[in-house]
Amino acid sequence: MAAGSFVAFLVFLLPSHSLVNDLRSRGVPVVAEVAAAPKNKYGEAGNVAVRFDGPDGTVETVLHDWGGKRPEGLRAGAVVPVTYDPQEPTRVLTTRWVQDPPTVTLPMLVTVGLAPLLLGAAVLLVVRRRKLLKDRKCANPAT
């Protein structure tokens, strides 16, 4: 489970960094209109839909998350500077996050924090089991 938690951390981190690097190297900055900015069941930003003029006409897509986090404070009808990948216009982030992405997000913290705790629990279980087996073997030397 510790390895799974660490893998989940990497799933949040690596695609986000890859997207930011791609957008920094070949991204096109434009001004987009926020088409929809719903809230999720926890009151946080949901899938923020944006609309902008792309290479082949109007593109309507959802802003990508960064490490499990979406930009807050966007309202339907507002304009926001975004950067998109001209090779795949649906890959889009706010320009602010391309220039200065969040360092760590809550999902990243949870997964990276769980990994050592789960690893420690596994080590303690192995040590305890070995001790119990050793004690049992000392108590019954005939077996």
Side-chain angles (χ1 to χ4, degrees), residues 2-13 107-108 111-112:
S5 180
F6 186 70
V7 167
F9 168 74
L10 292 178
V11 166
F12 283 123
L13 181 69
M108 288 177 167
T111 56
V112 81

Side-chain angles (χ1 to χ4, degrees), residues 5-140:
S5 180
F6 186 70
V7 167
F9 168 74
L10 292 178
V11 166
F12 283 123
L13 181 69
L14 296 179
S16 299
H17 276 287
S18 174
L19 176 61
V20 166
N21 288 337
D22 288 349
L23 292 177
R24 282 180 180 168
S25 67
R26 66 174 180 257
V28 177
V30 295
V31 175
E33 177 187 358
V34 178
K39 300 283 183 190
N40 65 18
K41 65 182 180 180
Y42 304 110
E44 298 168 339
N47 291 330
V48 178
V50 293
R51 185 179 6 221
F52 58 90
D53 292 328
D56 298 325
T58 302
V59 176
E60 188 163 336
T61 187
V62 174
L63 285 176
H64 276 264
D65 65 280
W66 198 96
K69 181 179 179 179
R70 291 189 169 74
E72 297 283 341
L74 299 177
R75 303 199 188 291
V79 293
V80 61
V82 298
T83 303
Y84 74 92
D85 185 345
Q87 296 175 359
E88 193 178 336
T90 58
R91 296 180 71 204
V92 60
L93 273 177
T94 61
T95 301
R96 191 178 106 222
W97 278 12
V98 172
Q99 294 168 349
D100 185 27
T103 306
V104 179
T105 63
L106 183 60
M108 288 177 167
L109 280 174
V110 169
T111 56
V112 81
L114 276 177
L117 292 174
L118 292 170
L119 183 60
V123 168
L124 287 175
L125 280 171
V126 168
V127 168
R128 175 74 174 146
R129 174 133 172 95
R130 289 182 59 109
K131 185 176 182 313
L132 288 173
L133 290 173
K134 183 179 176 185
D135 290 348
R136 182 182 291 167
K137 190 173 186 179
C138 289
N140 293 333

